[in-house]
Amino acid sequence: MKRIQLLSIAILTLLLFNSCGSLKAPAIHQFSSIDGYRYVFITPTAELTSSTGVAYAVGNGLYGNTSKTINPSDVISGIFLKNGFIRLPELKPDLLDQTIVVNYGESGRRNKGLGYTIEVTIQILSAKTSEPICICTAEGQGETEADDVRIAINRALSPLFGN
């Protein structure tokens, strides 16, 4: 019986240490500077809804479940707006010299302890030439997938703006 208890404690300890490990450092591959660009066009993304907790029904209600929704392009937009960019709803031919295009994608998942991380990649292109200016990649881990994505986006773009 004592061996089972010790084995259980050892396994639990290993799982806890593994789940407390740090996220991979954000990676940024910068080909040129975003200085001189004033406008940003962000490729639209779909909303992501995720939930956590245990749901149970009582009477006519559903309780115990936390649901979160995120639209990655909105998070990206907020970061660029905060850093002085003007978001364009569409590409304008007369502003292409001063416009960057931002693309977003989920680029991986990694098991970490009892959960996992989500990795995102953000690609920044010149609107005029379609040449890459920068590619940023980072992972995030939170309570829900929506949290994972928000954390990863913030971590990916932080080095670009020196935050």
Side-chain angles (χ1 to χ4, degrees), residues 116-139:
Y116 58 88
T117 65
I118 293 180
E119 179 186 80
V120 302
T121 298
I122 298 171
Q123 177 189 59
I124 301 171
L125 307 171
S126 163
K128 183 177 182 180
T129 65
S130 296
E131 292 293 320
I133 295 171
C134 169
I135 299 171
C136 309
T137 302
E139 61 183 11

Side-chain angles (χ1 to χ4, degrees), residues 99-122:
T99 304
I100 57 175
V101 176
V102 179
N103 296 316
Y104 160 88
E106 287 186 23
S107 51
R109 288 178 187 245
R110 179 172 66 98
N111 289 330
K112 188 170 160 284
L114 300 175
Y116 58 88
T117 65
I118 293 180
E119 179 186 80
V120 302
T121 298
I122 298 171

Side-chain angles (χ1 to χ4, degrees), residues 13 26 48-49 52 55 86 108 140:
T13 303
L48 167 71
T49 301
T52 184
I86 299 165

